Amino acid sequence: MLERARTLDAGDPLREFRDRFDVAEGVIYLDGNSLGALPKATPDRLEEVVLGEWGQGLIRSWNSADWITLPQRVGAKIAPLVGAQPHEVIACDSTSVNLFKLISAALAMRPGRKVVLSEPGNFPTDLYMIAGLEQQGLAERRLAPREAMADAIDENVALLMLTHVHYKTGAIFDMAALTEAAHARGALVLWDLSHSGGALPVDLNACNADFAVGCGYKYFNGGPGAPGYLFVAERHQIEVQQPLTGWMGHAAPFAFSDDYAPALGVDRMLCGTPPILGLAALEVGVDLIAEIGVERLYAKSQQLSEFFRQCVSEHGIELEIVSPTDPARRGSQLSFRHPEAYAICQALIARGVIGDFRDPDILRLGFAPAYLRFEDIAEAARHLTEVLETGEWQRDEFRERAAVT
Amino acid sequence: MLERARTLDAGDPLREFRDRFDVAEGVIYLDGNSLGALPKATPDRLEEVVLGEWGQGLIRSWNSADWITLPQRVGAKIAPLVGAQPHEVIACDSTSVNLFKLISAALAMRPGRKVVLSEPGNFPTDLYMIAGLEQQGLAERRLAPREAMADAIDENVALLMLTHVHYKTGAIFDMAALTEAAHARGALVLWDLSHSGGALPVDLNACNADFAVGCGYKYFNGGPGAPGYLFVAERHQIEVQQPLTGWMGHAAPFAFSDDYAPALGVDRMLCGTPPILGLAALEVGVDLIAEIGVERLYAKSQQLSEFFRQCVSEHGIELEIVSPTDPARRGSQLSFRHPEAYAICQALIARGVIGDFRDPDILRLGFAPAYLRFEDIAEAARHLTEVLETGEWQRDEFRERAAVT
């Protein structure tokens, strides 16, 4: 298998890009869907921002280094990767905070409707962000399984809020069909692109999406806790309002007036002072992903995950797969169910194969194709096989839960 | 004056700390109240976080480098500097977002009351953050001038929200008296410490304060757009709820349940994934300020600002001062009113003396004492005198407004 992997690597049109990442030593990293790897250009860019722009430029850098438009600049670079126009995307705050802005915005645009519809088992923060609005009496949460989703959209639904690629299974929702179904019943749609953006082609405008959010620290390689991004379709940019009405979303932040007046367009989605270090690191990651191109990335990630399945199968290992087996119906990951998934994941990590565990019984392996080789995949499959065959996951040290799993 | 300044510098107990900052070349920096200077330890710490913890540690660093508790750790370090207990402060999000959490929390704790009372001319984002809640029908803004503030607190006021040290004038509110007045009428109190924290001694608990927010990028030298921090008095930590109910504020974030359950204590004030680069830089700044001590810092800043006034006065310059002339009644800044404040500020910047302008007519000079020398102050006073006497501020180039003023 290793030989076949090396042949595949030799023919891989993306093989040169691995060298653009600071790949950790002794590690096969199958968790780029949780925290993307470090681009080699990031430390230099951060040094420039810290020593030059902050240290020497000081407050002047808001103008001279154009810090003030960094949220728009990074947003505009993300936009073509998710099928949006440059002025429809802005990078800011966390994904969770951005969810709050857009859920609130949608509720305000559909007076008389309170229901935010999602699916059970959606990524927790998506579901949780409805809770605060429920407590305030502004929203009502409704959950429907995905096969019954379209039928669950009725005249009480203000917003259909779904994650495009499921964090646990990698299953892809049909963005076009569900958006159309929601619109047919007068509801708006918010897509969470956390596991799609930078991983696979997304076309928000072709699907007529209303809103979207996404994550900066997964496939965009923006670093731990990188700012998120959000999308507001052009047609809503006059009407849309959100409750986090901070000074950076004001029409004239430096007029220092007492009264709030929203900025034009997507700028009104800003709230506080932009996090410059985080945005600068994110910009490097986005630039690199844009250079490679999401079509090529997705094609390779499908090959990687299919190759992994072949390898495991040839080793004679049977694992219950919870991801769609058709690679066109899943994102850049494979997830397997096993009652001892946590311990197996820890045993793999001890061997330098880093995937992650998702409660209660999921081993999740991400195939971030910008820096992974087929050789890594063959080796990861061998390690998984050995861990299962030797039963080394049964050691006590692999069963003790860490703070972050 | 220069000689007197040098004598003062020689006797300054904080003189050695200037060397702990990467002081910009050719600059006298009187804007540390807007963006604090770069501590020399910050670039090394960031390199460690980026190359080591992110690049090599990857996802494992949430546990191994203890990223997951960084908000609590930085909060606990800020706590003693603002008169709080370690578990009452947490570092997260922006000041604006934190204002939203705590205004909302206060409104929920005072059902039947909707008024958020503040003063006209408070820092814009403080006032603006009420606007979103007003649009949602949850809040009602009331503004009263500071001399009439106590009388404006009635049984409709849920929250008195004031900035301890005024961003424009530097005037200090009497935290103890106003908190008491609010409590006497059943209202809660939220103090914005953006211009106090790290600049002067604050004693939230001695004043019986309920809530507070503060800024990481001013006197704490956390870098551009650094995360903010917030305080919830221990007595409210069981009852308090806030609407940004993200996964990091959940009681068990990694259980991935569908239903939100708030974490214990101040942790429930978290929302999204913590911004690690920003928090790591902030920690360095907070450590340094804690090492110097806010009492010593405030004593020196009062000396610096008084010395500046003496120098200007000895140069024969008359400027309308809008800051309190009693140094005990102002923060670490002096503000002057002049119809051409913008152009004067720009002319000073061209000479390397960086202060800032606040619309419409305020020249604001900050005296961050950790890295300023009395010699800098004497020189700044000389430059201001020359700018005014020569009229060089009248040049066209100094009148053109930049994006950020």
Side-chain angles (χ1 to χ4, degrees), chain A residues 17 33 190 223:
Chain A
F17 287 106
N33 50 327
L190 163 53

Side-chain angles (χ1 to χ4, degrees), chain B residues 138-154:
Chain B
L138 300 170
E140 191 187 314
R141 187 177 86 167
R142 181 186 295 172
L143 303 183
R146 56 177 60 200
E147 60 277 12
M149 192 61 70
D151 292 336
I153 309 168
D154 61 24

Side-chain angles (χ1 to χ4, degrees), chain B residues 29 57 93 153 175 179 287 316 328 347 364:
Chain B
Y29 194 54
D93 293 311
I153 309 168
M175 184 182 283
T179 302
D287 280 341
R364 184 176 72 159

Side-chain angles (χ1 to χ4, degrees), chain B residues 113-374:
Chain B
R113 298 180 177 217
K114 275 193 169 181
V115 173
V116 180
L117 175 63
S118 192
E119 67 168 339
N122 191 357
F123 187 74
T125 217
D126 296 67
L127 299 180
Y128 299 163
M129 290 316 294
I130 312 171
L133 289 161
E134 271 190 307
Q135 282 166 5
Q136 292 180 312
L138 300 170
E140 191 187 314
R141 187 177 86 167
R142 181 186 295 172
L143 303 183
R146 56 177 60 200
E147 60 277 12
M149 192 61 70
D151 292 336
I153 309 168
D154 61 24
E155 71 288 346
N156 296 313
V157 175
L159 180 70
L160 174 64
M161 176 180 72
L162 296 172
T163 300
H164 182 224
V165 172
H166 195 278
Y167 80 100
K168 203 183 263 192
T169 67
I172 301 177
F173 263 118
D174 185 336
M175 184 182 283
L178 278 159
T179 302
E180 194 183 348
H183 287 175
R185 292 168 184 85
L188 296 159
V189 188
L190 163 52
W191 289 102
D192 183 339
L193 304 179
S194 290
H195 289 268
S196 325
L200 48 93
V202 175
D203 202 340
L204 288 167
N205 279 329
C207 296
N208 212 17
D210 301 292
F211 304 117
V213 297
C215 177
Y217 56 77
K218 299 179 187 295
Y219 295 100
F220 281 122
N221 309 298
Y229 59 94
L230 65 81
F231 159 88
V232 176
E234 188 185 65
R235 67 184 176 281
H236 296 314
Q237 291 193 359
I238 299 292
E239 186 185 358
V240 72
Q241 290 191 328
Q242 58 94 6
L244 296 175
T245 43
W247 72 316
M248 284 296 145
H250 193 280
F254 298 95
F256 291 88
S257 91
D258 280 357
D259 298 309
Y260 182 76
L264 282 177
V266 78
D267 291 6
R268 68 180 58 173
M269 291 292 146
L270 293 179
C271 182
T273 306
I276 299 303
L277 303 187
L279 285 167
L282 175 58
E283 186 173 27
V284 176
V286 169
D287 280 341
L288 183 47
I289 291 301
E291 182 186 341
I292 310 175
V294 284
E295 289 77 9
R296 294 203 295 173
L297 285 163
Y298 188 45
K300 181 175 168 187
S301 88
Q302 291 176 305
Q303 291 168 348
L304 289 170
S305 58
E306 284 298 283
F307 184 61
F308 183 83
R309 291 181 64 210
Q310 284 166 29
C311 292
V312 169
S313 165
E314 286 179 29
H315 282 301
I317 293 296
E318 297 249 336
L319 268 174
E320 181 190 352
I321 187 167
V322 297
S323 302
T325 51
D326 174 1
R329 293 189 49 237
R330 65 176 185 250
S332 294
Q333 69 180 76
L334 284 174
S335 297
F336 303 95
R337 177 171 288 126
H338 192 291
E340 296 291 347
Y342 183 79
I344 292 166
C345 182
Q346 293 305 306
L348 282 172
I349 291 172
R351 285 167 169 260
V353 180
I354 303 182
D356 65 21
F357 162 78
R358 284 297 174 250
D359 227 10
D361 55 5
I362 301 293
L363 174 67
R364 184 176 72 159
L365 304 177
F367 300 90
Y371 43 85
L372 279 176
R373 299 169 301 195
F374 288 90

Side-chain angles (χ1 to χ4, degrees), chain A residues 305-322:
Chain A
S305 58
E306 284 298 283
F307 184 62
F308 182 83
R309 291 181 65 210
Q310 284 166 29
C311 293
V312 169
S313 165
E314 287 180 29
H315 281 301
I317 293 295
E318 296 247 337
L319 268 175
E320 183 189 351
I321 187 166
V322 296

Side-chain angles (χ1 to χ4, degrees), chain B residues 38-78:
Chain B
L38 170 65
K40 276 187 183 163
T42 304
D44 284 352
R45 175 66 188 129
L46 280 173
E47 188 177 294
E48 192 183 330
V49 170
V50 172
L51 289 178
E53 298 179 6
W54 173 14
Q56 296 298 312
L58 291 161
I59 193 72
R60 298 170 292 193
S61 292
W62 284 105
N63 290 308
S64 60
D66 220 9
W67 284 349
I68 196 67
T69 59
L70 203 41
Q72 290 86 347
R73 192 164 81 223
V74 177
K77 287 178 172 186
I78 292 170

Side-chain angles (χ1 to χ4, degrees), chain A residues 107-122:
Chain A
L107 289 164
M109 285 168 70
R110 290 293 178 270
R113 297 181 179 216
K114 274 192 171 181
V115 173
V116 179
L117 175 62
S118 192
E119 66 167 340
N122 192 358

